[in-house]
């Protein structure tokens, strides 16, 4: 079990324990006030209306205690979430620009794949010797069954991954010579996965 899961379970247990103790203390306080309040009403020192008002105030006073119990658990959960975000922010990308990479400012849009091979895992091939040209200024559709590599082609064009072998060109320039960030600014991508 990962440390994140352990921390989440610990936070949930703490929240449940604190909430339980606050509920028990609230119930005991209400019972004591009700017991002594009824004695005061029966003795004529207090009216029933005053006792009800006092009980109402007492319930309102316990609400912040419940909120504090929940706040401590939420803080623990937020800390774990913050650690996860920091881990993600410190991940180094697999695709790194070359020192002499150029901006993709003036691209027309012709895309050419030449004998491109790619696999997400070693030994598994998503694309095998794929070659095609997408002319600039035209709408082109890539069709195929699920798992045929359509999304992989899009990810390679966006330089989210580098091909295992072969070359990809945009306007005759190898895609690796463009800065990834400037290239991605010029491409609109609509993912099929919903986040």
């Amino acid at each position: 079990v990962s440390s994140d899961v352990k921390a989440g379970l610990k936070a949930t247990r703490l929240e449940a324990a604190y909430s339980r103790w606050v509920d028990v203390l609230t119930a005991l306080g209400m019972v004591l006030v009700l017991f002594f309040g009824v004695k005061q009403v029966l003795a004529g020192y207090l009216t029933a209306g005053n006792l009800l008002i006092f009980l109402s105030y007492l319930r309102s006073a316990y609400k912040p205690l419940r909120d504090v119990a929940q706040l401590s658990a939420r803080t623990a959960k937020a800390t774990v979430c913050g650690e996860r975000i920091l881990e993600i922010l410190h991940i180094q990308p697999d695709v790194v620009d070359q020192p002499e990479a150029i901006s993709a400012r003036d691209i027309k849009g012709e895309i050419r794949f030449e004998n491109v091979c790619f696999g997400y895992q070693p030994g598994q091939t998503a694309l095998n010797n794929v070659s095609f040209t997408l002319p600039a200024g035209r709408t082109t559709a890539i069709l195929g069954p699920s798992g045929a590599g359509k999304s992989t082609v899009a990810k390679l064009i966006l330089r989210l991954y580098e091909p295992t072998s072969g070359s990809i060109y945009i306007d005759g320039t190898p895609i690796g010579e463009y800065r990834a960030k400037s290239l991605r600014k010029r491409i609109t991508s609509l993912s099929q996965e919903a986040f």
Side-chain angles (χ1 to χ4, degrees):
V1 179
S2 73
S3 62
D4 292 343
V5 173
K6 286 180 184 175
L9 289 172
K10 185 178 179 182
T12 303
R13 285 188 191 119
L14 278 173
E15 182 178 9
Y18 288 150
S19 295
R20 226 180 0 250
W21 279 109
V22 168
D23 288 342
V24 167
L25 288 174
T26 302
L28 282 174
M30 293 293 264
V31 166
L32 286 172
V33 168
L34 192 60
F35 177 75
F36 288 113
V38 167
K39 284 179 95 174
Q40 294 295 317
V41 169
L42 292 175
Y45 296 118
L46 192 65
T47 66
N50 287 342
L51 177 60
L52 288 176
I53 291 172
F54 188 75
L55 287 172
S56 172
Y57 286 148
L58 189 61
R59 280 188 68 196
S60 299
Y62 282 125
K63 187 180 181 319
L65 284 177
R66 283 196 188 106
D67 292 346
V68 167
Q70 291 174 352
L71 181 65
S72 62
R74 287 182 189 149
T75 303
K77 287 178 185 175
T79 302
V80 171
C81 291
E83 289 171 1
R84 287 182 190 159
I85 290 169
L86 286 175
E87 285 175 18
I88 290 170
L89 291 175
H90 286 99
I91 292 174
Q92 293 299 318
D94 293 334
V95 176
V96 180
D97 290 334
Q98 299 174 5
E100 64 278 358
I102 60 173
S103 176
R105 232 179 290 161
D106 300 321
I107 60 174
K108 306 272 186 296
E110 180 190 79
I111 300 171
R112 191 171 78 242
F113 274 55
E114 286 185 1
N115 301 316
V116 173
C117 295
F118 176 77
Y120 290 100
Q121 300 292 330
Q124 294 179 348
T125 305
L127 298 176
N128 190 16
N129 286 327
V130 173
S131 296
F132 61 84
T133 300
L134 302 175
R138 289 214 178 136
T139 301
T140 307
I142 300 174
L143 303 174
S146 181
K150 303 177 298 293
S151 296
T152 302
V153 166
K155 290 174 184 174
L156 289 172
I157 293 170
L158 287 164
R159 288 197 65 210
L160 298 176
Y161 298 98
E162 297 284 7
T164 309
S165 64
S167 301
I168 304 171
Y169 299 91
I170 296 181
D171 293 341
T173 303
I175 198 169
E177 292 184 14
Y178 290 111
R179 283 197 294 275
K181 189 173 183 179
S182 73
L183 183 66
R184 292 173 191 155
K185 280 185 176 179
R186 310 275 171 310
I187 299 172
T188 301
S189 174
L190 300 174
S191 176
Q192 65 187 9
E193 294 97 8
F195 292 96

